[in-house]
């Protein structure tokens, strides 16, 4: 074992949260080391090559960017991190197409006004409810960013009711209850709830504010993709980190977080890699799952007080079964006109969730075709798509090893059959295909059950109910395991966590300076 130099902070994992945390720290003047177990940065935000295609792994729609004329929070963050001039963002012109067999087939544009017009055109009897619902979405979202957080910080009910009354009344209700209040048409409710799959829970089990946030963010600030895929953004964040003086090691998994246990609670003092290298640090930001961080990496014999109980009250969230497909034709050949298409054989969202826990044919799938808005995403005359359904990793626990391959490809057939039903001729145009199960996600992401959103994203897991872990001094979490899943939330939490660490480092330096000055005053001058 070799002892190496000391760092202000060490980041475990170069996923979305780890990359934004690392870039924020380095650009803030902190001596920072980033450690990644794989040979490239990105985690979910990465790509891989098969044949003529470089497949996007996970990004379907990036939210929160906004346009140059109407910028939103992610544009500000990416500017601060120095990556806006390193990547090209591609605007998508539709939110999504939703088509339910024998029920409806409607496409929503990426325009707040356009969404309202399309909804009223298709559901004229619900016109007033549509107007009221969209206004409520707007109010709740804006209040959540402004008045609510201030009221929460001040612990002031008066401030909450004065500045965030719509959020207080509706924000934390279930999305289903708010939809039921405004609409009687089940098709309309299903259409407006489509984004629940980005959380992995049916509308009855998610807060209305979360559903409203996604609809508003994509509708007003547009859905985006990235030229070259999310790997390009991961590379840009790493480049910004290195330009600011940060250091990175790939193929260097962290083996242990070393703590001093002499105080009231454990305190981080170093980390050790799988190669036996030890790096001194008092601040660690982990982009690994909280389960891996506290159970596998932390050097305590028992879980810190409160962590064990917290874990017992949670469930591992959903993973995904995904097909990465290269087609030998442009998207229009198959009638693919939108980047995102939600396809289903039922409007029963509870059934959709129940099916996620089985190997039964999925009743809902999502097809993403990046070439609709970015022809360069595949060779000329071709296109690439991802075809997926949400599925829990535990489904695969009882599949014998010898049956894994056959089971995987048999299940893949279910997804292809559904795509063929909505896009006739789909199968005949498949040139390249790669199949990823939840076990694939588990292997590459190193998350329990291959979870892509962290713990189950239910109302009890919001920041109001579950404070951030502070049981180990100097150990911080960045990622979806203590908040909402998805690209924007994990980028944001990485930066906010790093900013909190920078404040701690600054306070520590000031305290050390004061102590030095005090000692200088007490020591007698040489005569």
């Amino acid at each position: 074992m070799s002892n190496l130099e000391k760092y202000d902070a060490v980041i475990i994992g170069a996923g979305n949260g780890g990359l934004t945390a690392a870039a924020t720290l380095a650009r803030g003047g902190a001596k920072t080391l980033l450690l990644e177990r794989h040979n490239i940065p990105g985690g979910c935000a990465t790509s891989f090559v098969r044949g003529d295609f470089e497949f996007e792994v996970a990004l379907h729609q990036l939210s929160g960017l906004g346009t140059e004329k109407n910028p939103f929070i992610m544009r500000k963050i990416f500017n601060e991190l120095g990556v806006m001039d390193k990547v090209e963002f591609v605007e998508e012109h539709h939110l999504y197409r939703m088509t339910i067999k024998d029920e409806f087939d409607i496409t929503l544009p990426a325009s707040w006004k356009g969404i309202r017009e399309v909804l009223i055109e298709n559901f004229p009897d619900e016109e007033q409810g549509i107007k009221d619902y969209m206004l409520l979405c707007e109010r709740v979202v804006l209040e959540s960013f402004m008045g609510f957080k201030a009221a929460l910080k001040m612990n002031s009910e008066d401030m909450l009711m004065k500045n965030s009354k719509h959020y207080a009344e509706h924000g934390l209700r279930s999305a289903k209850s708010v939809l039921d209040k405004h609409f009687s048409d089940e098709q309309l409710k299903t259409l407006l709830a489509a984004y629940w799959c980005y959380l992995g829970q049916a509308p009855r089990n998610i807060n209305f504010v979360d559903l409203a946030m996604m609809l508003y963010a994509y509708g007003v600030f547009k859905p985006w993709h990235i030229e070259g895929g999310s790997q390009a953004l991961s590379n840009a964040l790493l480049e910004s980190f290195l330009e600011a003086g940060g250091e990175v090691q790939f193929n260097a998994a962290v083996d242990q977080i070393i703590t001093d246990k002499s105080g009231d609670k454990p305190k981080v003092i170093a980390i050790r890699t799988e190669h036996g290298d030890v790096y001194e640090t008092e601040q660690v930001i982990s982009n690994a799952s909280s389960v891996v961080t506290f159970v596998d990496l932390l050097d305590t014999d028992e879980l810190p007080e409160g962590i064990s109980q917290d874990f017992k009250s949670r469930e591992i969230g959903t993973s995904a079964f995904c097909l990465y497909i290269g087609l030998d034709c442009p998207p229009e050949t198959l009638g693919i006109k939108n980047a995102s298409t939600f396809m289903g054989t039922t409007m029963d969202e509870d059934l959709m969730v129940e099916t996620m826990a089985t190997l039964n044919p999925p009743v809902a799938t999502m097809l993403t075709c990046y070439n609709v808005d970015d022809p360069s995403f595949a060779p000329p005359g071709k296109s690439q798509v991802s075809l997926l359904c949400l599925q829990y990793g535990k489904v695969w626990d009882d599949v014998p090893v010898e049956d894994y391959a056959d089971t995987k490809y048999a299940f893949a057939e279910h997804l292809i059959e559904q795509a063929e039903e909505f896009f006739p001729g789909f199968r005949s145009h498949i040139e390249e295909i790669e199949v990823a199960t939840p076990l694939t996600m588990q292997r590459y992401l190193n998350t329990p059950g291959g979870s892509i959103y962290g713990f189950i994203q239910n109302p009890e897991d919001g920041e109001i109910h579950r404070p951030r872990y502070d049981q180990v001094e100097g150990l911080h979490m960045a990622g979806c395991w203590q908040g909402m899943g998805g690209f924007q939330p994990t980028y944001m939490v990485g930066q906010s966590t790093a900013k909190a660490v920078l404040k701690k480092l600054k306070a520590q330096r000031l305290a050390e300076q004061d102590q030095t000055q005090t000692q200088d005053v007490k020591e007698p001058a040489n005569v």
Side-chain angles (χ1 to χ4, degrees):
M1 183 173 73
S2 58
N3 291 305
L4 303 179
E5 58 188 305
K6 182 175 181 179
Y7 289 87
D8 292 327
V10 174
I11 313 295
I12 301 175
N16 289 343
L19 285 168
T20 51
T24 301
L25 285 166
R27 293 171 70 86
K31 184 178 180 181
T32 308
L33 174 65
L34 173 62
L35 298 171
E36 169 55 46
R37 62 196 290 266
H38 288 304
N39 61 349
I40 56 173
C44 281
T46 187
S47 62
F48 64 92
V49 175
R50 294 290 185 274
D52 288 341
F53 303 91
E54 182 173 354
F55 289 109
E56 166 67 46
V57 168
L59 178 60
H60 299 281
Q61 295 177 309
L62 178 64
S63 61
L65 189 67
T67 62
E68 290 186 7
K69 293 183 178 179
N70 189 25
F72 200 38
I73 189 167
M74 291 311 303
R75 192 171 289 265
K76 176 178 181 292
I77 289 174
F78 289 150
N79 271 318
E80 289 178 358
L81 297 179
V83 299
M84 283 303 296
D85 61 343
K86 299 180 188 298
V87 293
E88 293 292 331
F89 293 96
V90 180
E91 182 178 344
E92 296 180 2
H93 297 91
H94 301 94
L95 260 61
Y96 53 80
R97 171 193 176 194
M98 188 170 209
T99 173
I100 304 295
K101 185 180 178 182
D102 300 327
E103 293 287 348
F104 66 88
D105 187 341
I106 297 174
T107 298
L108 295 183
S111 159
W112 198 239
K113 179 182 178 182
I115 293 170
R116 184 168 55 246
E117 291 174 347
V118 169
L119 293 177
I120 292 173
E121 178 184 352
N122 284 274
F123 305 96
D125 294 341
E126 301 270 15
E127 179 174 354
Q128 190 57 51
I130 291 167
K131 292 178 178 178
D132 292 344
Y133 180 82
M134 294 189 67
L135 180 59
L136 179 62
C137 286
E138 186 173 352
R139 286 172 170 171
V140 167
V141 170
L142 295 178
E143 288 175 2
S144 73
F145 275 103
M146 295 181 286
F148 171 70
K149 290 189 176 180
L152 187 65
K153 186 176 182 180
M154 297 296 292
N155 195 27
S156 171
E157 184 176 348
D158 290 340
M159 184 182 295
L160 175 67
M161 297 311 298
K162 180 180 179 181
N163 299 324
S164 308
K165 63 178 183 179
H166 299 95
Y167 184 104
E169 183 176 353
H170 300 283
L172 300 182
R173 294 188 178 188
S174 76
K176 178 175 173 30
S177 69
V178 178
L179 286 165
D180 287 343
K181 178 182 177 181
H182 285 80
F183 310 115
S184 59
D185 193 299
E186 294 301 321
Q187 292 184 350
L188 176 55
K189 287 187 260 186
T190 299
L191 175 64
L192 283 171
Y195 277 141
W196 70 261
C197 72
Y198 285 179
L199 297 174
Q201 284 286 288
R204 70 170 66 251
N205 293 320
I206 59 176
N207 288 327
F208 168 66
V209 63
D210 294 334
L211 187 63
M213 186 82 69
M214 288 185 285
L215 184 68
Y216 184 78
Y218 286 122
V220 175
F221 300 104
K222 315 301 180 186
W224 296 79
H225 206 77
I226 301 158
E227 191 173 294
S230 58
Q231 183 71 70
L233 181 52
S234 298
N235 293 344
L237 286 165
L238 178 64
E239 183 181 345
S240 174
F241 169 65
L242 295 174
E243 288 173 350
E247 299 176 39
V248 63
Q249 290 185 22
F250 293 107
N251 300 307
V254 171
D255 179 63
Q256 191 171 75
I257 300 170
I258 303 171
T259 62
D260 176 0
K261 305 170 190 64
S262 62
D264 294 335
K265 61 182 180 179
K267 178 181 179 181
V268 171
I269 57 173
I271 63 94
R272 184 178 67 229
T273 72
E274 61 182 341
H275 307 300
D277 296 322
V278 175
Y279 299 92
E280 293 183 47
T281 186
E282 294 180 2
Q283 303 292 332
V284 167
I285 297 179
S286 177
N287 195 194
S289 78
S290 53
V291 176
V292 168
T293 300
F294 285 97
V295 175
D296 297 337
L297 302 184
L298 194 63
D299 68 348
T300 53
D301 295 330
E302 298 180 353
L303 288 175
E305 184 178 353
I307 295 292
S308 178
Q309 191 62 35
D310 181 83
F311 285 177
K312 289 177 181 178
S313 67
R314 296 180 184 237
E315 295 181 71
I316 301 300
T318 185
S319 184
F321 188 101
C322 188
L323 306 185
Y324 302 100
I325 299 173
L327 300 171
D328 65 4
C329 64
E332 56 267 22
T333 299
L334 293 171
I336 301 174
K337 300 177 182 179
N338 318 100
S340 298
T341 302
F342 297 104
M343 303 173 288
T345 57
T346 179
M347 294 193 299
D348 187 341
E349 287 132 351
D350 292 323
L351 177 59
M352 295 178 190
V353 174
E354 290 172 14
T355 307
M356 287 160 50
T358 73
L359 281 170
N360 296 334
V363 295
T365 56
M366 180 183 183
L367 184 143
T368 300
C369 183
Y370 311 99
N371 290 84
V372 170
D373 295 293
D374 182 9
S376 70
F377 227 87
K382 300 182 180 183
S383 51
Q384 66 152 295
V385 304
S386 72
L387 179 62
L388 67 83
C389 67
L390 297 179
Q391 187 180 61
Y392 284 98
K394 58 187 177 184
V395 171
W396 293 85
D397 290 346
D398 296 328
V399 176
V401 174
E402 62 271 21
D403 296 336
Y404 175 72
D406 288 343
T407 306
K408 176 174 75 170
Y409 293 120
F411 194 83
E413 281 295 315
H414 295 317
L415 276 72
I416 295 173
E417 287 169 6
Q418 191 162 115
E420 180 75 24
E421 190 166 358
F422 290 97
F423 299 104
F426 183 87
R427 182 189 298 274
S428 65
H429 287 283
I430 296 176
E431 177 180 319
E432 199 76 43
I433 186 167
E434 186 72 30
V435 182
T437 74
L439 295 185
T440 312
M441 308 297 179
Q442 180 174 312
R443 185 167 68 252
Y444 282 99
L445 300 180
N446 194 31
T447 57
S451 174
I452 56 177
Y453 297 140
F455 291 113
I456 284 181
Q457 306 276 298
N458 58 34
E460 290 74 32
D461 277 329
E463 61 182 340
I464 304 173
H465 306 292
R466 294 192 188 266
R468 297 183 66 77
Y469 296 134
D470 62 357
Q471 287 85 349
V472 178
E473 187 175 343
L475 178 57
H476 317 272
M477 301 301 302
C480 61
W481 290 83
Q482 270 203 295
M484 184 183 290
F487 275 66
Q488 179 186 341
T490 50
Y491 284 133
M492 290 174 65
V493 76
Q495 188 199 43
S496 63
T497 302
K499 284 186 173 181
V501 170
L502 285 173
K503 287 183 179 180
K504 291 179 181 292
L505 292 171
K506 181 179 180 181
Q508 182 179 350
R509 291 192 185 101
L510 290 174
E512 290 171 351
Q513 290 174 4
D514 290 343
Q515 185 177 10
T516 300
Q517 291 172 356
T518 301
Q519 290 176 344
D520 290 343
V521 170
K522 289 182 178 180
E523 291 178 359
N526 293 325
V527 179

